[in-house]
Amino acid sequence: MPAANVKELTPGELSKRSGAAISALHFYERAGLISSRRTSGNQRRYPRHMLRRVAFIRVSQQVGIPLREIKAALDSLPRDSAPTKANWAKLSAGWRDHLDARIDEMQRLRDDLTGCIGCGCLSLRSCTLYNPADRLGQSGPGARRLLPEDPPAGPADSSGANAVVASGSRT
């Protein structure tokens, strides 16, 4: 690498140093999370501070922060420098409520799991996972999730816990 470009990394170098696949780096770039410049040969070159941005993205994803929130956080920071410890402290403090809500949801799921027989029937009155308080039974008889004219039942509570999509999997 020429001396003038010491502060730039190729996609392969950024991938190796960050542990993120090259395809993930390209995805992050398309999503506006990181940026690169193009050489005269149309090759990507990343500034070295993108290493910390990629680390920031990966850690945020590991704790369950959605990419749209990660992008909003990164958009609030200067694009020409790496996120600092102070940046991380401020942004992660803002995510505590989100993480606490997810922890509460997972604890409710764990506690409700003992009442589930795992049949996926979606209609038992006692199914605390997929049909709390027999919400689906209030819509009429039959397999309510399989009938296209019926709107899906709303979440069991305001946190969105127990929301179910047509396939029967949790959202």
Side-chain angles (χ1 to χ4, degrees):
M1 189 180 310
N5 293 330
V6 169
K7 293 188 177 192
E8 292 184 319
L9 302 168
T10 66
E13 291 166 335
L14 183 57
S15 173
K16 184 176 181 180
R17 300 266 320 266
S18 69
I22 292 174
S23 60
L25 298 175
H26 292 174
F27 173 79
Y28 294 158
E29 192 169 352
R30 282 190 310 274
L33 299 164
I34 64 174
S35 61
S36 68
R37 76 169 183 89
R38 296 295 184 131
T39 67
S40 60
N42 202 29
Q43 297 174 330
R44 288 180 170 95
R45 293 295 182 264
Y46 295 98
R48 288 181 58 80
H49 69 268
M50 288 300 152
L51 274 168
R52 184 149 321 147
R53 286 180 86 89
V54 172
F56 183 99
I57 294 163
R58 296 189 74 205
V59 168
S60 300
Q61 285 182 298
Q62 285 177 340
V63 297
I65 305 301
L67 277 179
R68 70 181 178 283
E69 289 183 36
I70 297 169
K71 181 175 181 344
L74 288 172
D75 286 348
S76 74
L77 304 176
R79 292 201 64 80
D80 59 349
S81 63
T84 65
K85 184 177 180 180
N87 295 142
W88 177 255
K90 180 182 177 187
L91 295 170
S92 64
W95 290 335
R96 281 189 74 82
D97 290 341
H98 172 82
L99 293 173
D100 287 343
R102 289 194 63 225
I103 289 168
D104 290 344
E105 181 180 347
M106 294 302 292
Q107 287 174 332
R108 278 192 305 277
L109 174 62
R110 179 202 60 210
D111 295 345
D112 289 346
L113 191 58
T114 57
C116 176
I117 59 174
C119 66
C121 68
L122 306 179
S123 64
L124 287 177
R125 289 175 194 245
S126 63
C127 184
T128 57
L129 291 177
Y130 289 114
N131 192 19
D134 194 27
R135 282 191 332 253
L136 295 173
Q138 296 167 16
S139 300
R144 305 312 304 165
R145 291 283 182 215
L146 301 178
L147 301 175
E149 67 273 4
D150 289 330
D157 59 33
S158 61
S159 72
N162 296 321
V164 180
V165 294
S167 68
S169 59
R170 299 177 62 74
T171 57

